[in-house]
Amino acid sequence: MNLLIDHLEDCSTPNYFSFAIRCEVCGEFWYSNSIPFSKAGQVTDYVDKKELYDVLYQKEKQRAQLAAAKEAREHFSQCPICRRLVCDSCFLICDEMDMCKECATRMKEAGEPVIP
Ligand SMILES: [Zn+2]
Ligand SMILES: [Zn+2]
């Protein structure tokens, strides 16, 4: 879980929160569901509330980050051999131990990807 949070790249804008993770094997990006900021679009209307909205933004961002990490857990696994974070297309279910595609090739292990 913490590993996933460390790997989340912040793609948020002033109006919504979004995070991405890059698979360390194939290099493909996965994006979390974007969550709108509750005060999106209103920030410029209330200049005097900017400070309050900034704090609110950070709070909601933290929550969105946790949600993204939880979501990412369904799509990524950590390879027990190389310790990299890999997407389901690069993570193989092998007989003895599940591992990433590159480690499996190196060790000549046969396996099926989680998502073919
Ligand atoms: Zn991948
Ligand atoms: Zn590996």
Side-chain angles (χ1 to χ4, degrees), residues 12-14 16-17 37 53-61:
S12 304
T13 72
Y16 67 89
F17 309 106
F37 176 41
Y53 284 176
D54 280 351
V55 174
L56 201 60
Y57 182 86
Q58 290 308 326
K59 272 195 157 167
E60 289 187 23
K61 189 182 206 169

Side-chain angles (χ1 to χ4, degrees), residues 13-31:
T13 72
N15 292 322
Y16 67 89
F17 309 106
S18 174
F19 297 88
I21 291 185
R22 189 165 177 265
C23 167
E24 293 180 70
V25 170
C26 67
E28 289 281 334
F29 277 97
W30 167 88
Y31 295 93

Side-chain angles (χ1 to χ4, degrees), residues 79 81-84 99-100 102-103:
C79 173
I81 314 288
C82 63
R83 302 255 143 224
R84 289 184 300 178
M99 63 183 81
C100 82
E102 286 181 356
C103 290

Side-chain angles (χ1 to χ4, degrees), residues 14 18 25 32 50 83 92 95-96 100 104:
S18 174
V25 170
S32 68
K50 193 182 178 308
R83 302 255 143 224
L92 306 189
D95 282 346
E96 303 194 56
C100 82

Side-chain angles (χ1 to χ4, degrees), residues 88-102:
D88 278 351
S89 324
C90 300
F91 196 69
L92 306 189
I93 309 290
C94 302
D95 282 346
E96 303 194 56
M97 189 190 282
D98 303 341
M99 63 183 81
C100 82
K101 197 150 83 170
E102 286 181 356

Side-chain angles (χ1 to χ4, degrees), residues 19-87:
F19 297 88
I21 291 185
R22 189 165 177 265
C23 167
E24 293 180 70
V25 170
C26 67
E28 289 281 334
F29 277 97
W30 167 88
Y31 295 93
S32 68
N33 280 326
S34 57
I35 299 172
F37 176 41
S38 63
K39 303 292 177 194
Q42 297 178 30
V43 178
T44 45
D45 300 342
Y46 300 95
V47 182
D48 47 342
K49 283 198 176 171
K50 193 182 178 308
E51 214 177 324
L52 188 147
Y53 284 176
D54 280 351
V55 174
L56 201 60
Y57 182 86
Q58 290 308 326
K59 272 195 157 167
E60 289 187 23
K61 189 182 206 169
Q62 243 168 29
R63 225 179 309 153
Q65 194 183 31
L66 277 177
K70 210 179 271 179
E71 203 190 334
R73 209 156 37 157
E74 321 264 311
H75 303 279
F76 283 86
S77 304
Q78 187 183 26
C79 173
I81 314 288
C82 63
R83 302 255 143 224
R84 289 184 300 178
L85 200 59
V86 297
C87 77

